Coordinates of all heavy atoms in Angstrom, one line a residue:
T776 N -41.0 136.1 56.3 CA -42.2 136.4 55.6 C -42.5 135.5 54.5 O -41.5 135.0 53.8 CB -42.3 137.8 55.1 OG1 -41.2 138.1 54.3 CG2 -42.2 138.8 56.3
V777 N -43.7 135.2 54.2 CA -44.1 134.5 53.0 C -44.8 135.5 52.1 O -45.8 136.1 52.5 CB -45.2 133.4 53.3 CG1 -45.7 132.7 52.1 CG2 -44.6 132.3 54.3
K778 N -44.2 135.8 51.0 CA -44.6 136.9 50.1 C -45.3 136.3 48.9 O -44.8 135.4 48.3 CB -43.5 137.8 49.7 CG -42.9 138.5 50.9 CD -41.7 139.4 50.5 CE -41.2 140.1 51.7 NZ -40.0 141.0 51.3
C779 N -46.4 137.0 48.5 CA -47.1 136.7 47.3 C -47.2 137.9 46.4 O -47.4 139.0 46.9 CB -48.5 136.2 47.6 SG -48.5 134.7 48.6
A780 N -47.1 137.8 45.1 CA -47.3 138.9 44.2 C -48.7 139.4 44.2 O -49.6 138.6 44.2 CB -46.8 138.5 42.8
D781 N -48.9 140.7 44.0 CA -50.2 141.3 44.0 C -51.1 140.7 42.9 O -52.3 140.6 43.1 CB -50.1 142.8 43.9 CG -49.6 143.5 45.1 OD1 -49.7 142.9 46.2 OD2 -49.1 144.6 45.0
K782 N -50.5 140.5 41.8 CA -51.3 140.0 40.7 C -51.7 138.5 40.7 O -52.4 138.1 39.8 CB -50.6 140.4 39.4 CG -50.4 141.9 39.2 CD -50.2 142.3 37.8 CE -49.9 143.8 37.8 NZ -50.8 144.6 37.2
T783 N -51.1 137.8 41.6 CA -51.4 136.4 41.8 C -52.9 136.2 42.2 O -53.3 136.9 43.2 CB -50.5 135.7 42.8 OG1 -49.2 135.9 42.4 CG2 -50.8 134.2 42.9
P784 N -53.7 135.4 41.5 CA -55.1 135.2 41.9 C -55.1 134.7 43.4 O -54.3 133.9 43.8 CB -55.6 134.1 41.0 CG -54.7 134.2 39.8 CD -53.3 134.6 40.3
M785 N -56.2 135.1 44.1 CA -56.3 134.7 45.5 C -56.2 133.2 45.8 O -55.5 132.9 46.7 CB -57.6 135.3 46.1 CG -57.8 135.1 47.6 SD -56.5 135.9 48.6 CE -56.9 137.6 48.3
P786 N -56.9 132.4 45.0 CA -56.8 130.9 45.3 C -55.3 130.5 45.3 O -54.9 129.7 46.1 CB -57.6 130.3 44.2 CG -58.6 131.3 43.9 CD -57.9 132.6 43.9
E787 N -54.5 131.0 44.3 CA -53.1 130.6 44.2 C -52.3 131.1 45.4 O -51.4 130.5 45.9 CB -52.5 131.1 42.9 CG -53.1 130.4 41.7 CD -52.8 128.9 41.7 OE1 -51.7 128.4 42.0 OE2 -53.8 128.1 41.5
R788 N -52.6 132.4 45.8 CA -51.9 132.9 47.0 C -52.2 132.1 48.2 O -51.2 131.7 49.0 CB -52.4 134.3 47.3 CG -51.9 135.4 46.4 CD -52.3 136.7 47.0 NE -52.7 137.7 46.0 CZ -53.0 138.9 46.2 NH1 -53.0 139.4 47.5 NH2 -53.3 139.7 45.3
L789 N -53.4 131.7 48.4 CA -53.8 130.9 49.6 C -53.1 129.5 49.6 O -52.7 129.1 50.6 CB -55.3 130.8 49.7 CG -56.0 132.2 49.9 CD1 -57.5 132.0 49.9 CD2 -55.6 132.9 51.2
K790 N -53.1 129.0 48.4 CA -52.5 127.6 48.2 C -51.0 127.8 48.6 O -50.4 126.9 49.3 CB -52.7 127.2 46.8 CG -52.0 125.8 46.5 CD -52.3 125.4 45.1 CE -51.5 124.2 44.7 NZ -51.7 123.9 43.3
Y791 N -50.3 128.8 48.1 CA -48.9 129.0 48.3 C -48.6 129.3 49.8 O -47.7 128.7 50.4 CB -48.4 130.2 47.5 CG -46.9 130.5 47.7 CD1 -45.9 129.6 47.2 CD2 -46.5 131.6 48.4 CE1 -44.6 129.9 47.4 CE2 -45.2 131.9 48.6 CZ -44.2 131.1 48.1 OH -42.9 131.3 48.4
I792 N -49.4 130.1 50.4 CA -49.3 130.4 51.9 C -49.4 129.1 52.7 O -48.6 128.8 53.6 CB -50.3 131.4 52.4 CG1 -50.0 132.8 51.8 CG2 -50.4 131.5 53.9 CD1 -51.1 133.8 51.9
Y793 N -50.4 128.3 52.3 CA -50.6 127.0 53.0 C -49.4 126.1 52.9 O -48.9 125.6 53.9 CB -51.9 126.3 52.5 CG -52.1 125.0 53.1 CD1 -52.8 124.9 54.3 CD2 -51.7 123.8 52.6 CE1 -53.1 123.7 54.9 CE2 -51.9 122.6 53.2 CZ -52.6 122.5 54.4 OH -52.8 121.3 55.0
S794 N -48.9 126.0 51.7 CA -47.8 125.0 51.5 C -46.5 125.5 52.2 O -45.8 124.8 52.7 CB -47.5 124.8 50.0 OG -47.1 126.0 49.4
E795 N -46.3 126.8 52.2 CA -45.1 127.4 52.9 C -45.3 127.2 54.4 O -44.3 126.9 55.1 CB -45.0 128.9 52.6 CG -44.5 129.1 51.2 CD -43.1 128.6 50.9 OE1 -42.2 128.9 51.6 OE2 -43.0 127.7 50.0
L796 N -46.5 127.4 55.0 CA -46.7 127.2 56.4 C -46.5 125.7 56.8 O -45.9 125.4 57.8 CB -48.0 127.7 56.8 CG -48.2 129.2 57.0 CD1 -49.6 129.5 57.3 CD2 -47.3 129.7 58.1
V797 N -47.0 124.8 55.9 CA -46.8 123.4 56.2 C -45.3 123.1 56.2 O -44.8 122.3 57.1 CB -47.5 122.5 55.1 CG1 -47.1 121.1 55.2 CG2 -49.0 122.7 55.4
A798 N -44.5 123.6 55.3 CA -43.1 123.4 55.2 C -42.4 123.9 56.5 O -41.5 123.3 57.1 CB -42.5 124.0 54.0
I799 N -42.8 125.1 56.9 CA -42.2 125.7 58.2 C -42.5 124.8 59.4 O -41.6 124.5 60.2 CB -42.7 127.2 58.3 CG1 -42.1 128.1 57.2 CG2 -42.4 127.7 59.7 CD1 -42.9 129.4 57.1
I800 N -43.8 124.4 59.5 CA -44.2 123.6 60.6 C -43.4 122.3 60.6 O -43.0 121.8 61.6 CB -45.7 123.4 60.6 CG1 -46.4 124.7 60.9 CG2 -46.1 122.3 61.6 CD1 -47.9 124.7 60.6
T801 N -43.3 121.7 59.4 CA -42.6 120.4 59.3 C -41.2 120.5 59.7 O -40.6 119.7 60.4 CB -42.7 119.9 57.8 OG1 -44.1 119.7 57.5 CG2 -42.0 118.5 57.7
R802 N -40.5 121.6 59.2 CA -39.1 121.8 59.5 C -38.8 122.1 61.0 O -37.9 121.6 61.6 CB -38.5 122.9 58.6 CG -37.1 123.1 58.9 CD -36.4 123.9 57.8 NE -35.0 124.0 58.1 CZ -34.2 124.8 57.5 NH1 -34.6 125.6 56.5 NH2 -32.9 124.8 57.8
Y803 N -39.6 123.0 61.6 CA -39.3 123.5 62.9 C -40.1 122.9 64.1 O -39.8 123.1 65.2 CB -39.4 125.0 62.9 CG -38.4 125.7 62.1 CD1 -38.7 126.1 60.8 CD2 -37.0 125.8 62.5 CE1 -37.7 126.6 59.9 CE2 -36.1 126.3 61.7 CZ -36.4 126.8 60.4 OH -35.5 127.3 59.6
Q804 N -41.1 122.1 63.7 CA -41.8 121.3 64.7 C -42.3 122.1 66.0 O -42.1 121.7 67.1 CB -41.0 120.1 65.2 CG -40.6 119.1 64.1 CD -41.9 118.4 63.6 OE1 -42.6 117.8 64.4 NE2 -42.1 118.5 62.3
P805 N -43.1 123.2 65.7 CA -43.6 123.9 66.9 C -44.7 123.0 67.6 O -45.2 122.1 67.0 CB -44.2 125.2 66.3 CG -44.6 124.8 64.9 CD -43.5 123.8 64.5
Q806 N -45.0 123.4 68.8 CA -46.0 122.6 69.6 C -47.4 123.3 69.5 O -48.4 122.6 69.7 CB -45.5 122.5 71.0 CG -44.3 121.5 71.1 CD -43.5 121.8 72.4 OE1 -43.2 123.0 72.7 NE2 -43.2 120.8 73.1
C807 N -47.4 124.6 69.2 CA -48.6 125.3 69.1 C -48.4 126.5 68.2 O -47.3 126.9 67.8 CB -49.1 125.7 70.4 SG -48.0 126.9 71.3
A808 N -49.6 127.0 67.7 CA -49.6 128.2 66.9 C -50.4 129.3 67.5 O -51.5 129.1 68.0 CB -50.1 127.9 65.5
A809 N -49.8 130.5 67.5 CA -50.5 131.7 68.0 C -50.7 132.6 66.8 O -49.8 133.0 66.1 CB -49.7 132.4 69.0
I810 N -52.0 132.9 66.5 CA -52.3 133.6 65.2 C -53.1 134.9 65.6 O -54.0 134.9 66.4 CB -53.2 132.7 64.3 CG1 -52.4 131.4 64.0 CG2 -53.6 133.4 63.0 CD1 -53.2 130.3 63.3

Side-chain angles (χ1 to χ4, degrees):
T776 55
V777 176
K778 295 181 180 180
C779 299
D781 287 340
K782 298 202 186 243
T783 303
M785 185 60 68
E787 291 301 313
R788 284 192 217 182
L789 297 175
K790 180 180 172 184
Y791 179 71
I792 290 167
Y793 179 85
S794 67
E795 290 297 301
L796 284 174
V797 167
I799 291 163
I800 291 167
T801 301
R802 180 167 183 191
Y803 294 100
Q804 297 293 304
Q806 292 155 312
C807 60
I810 303 170

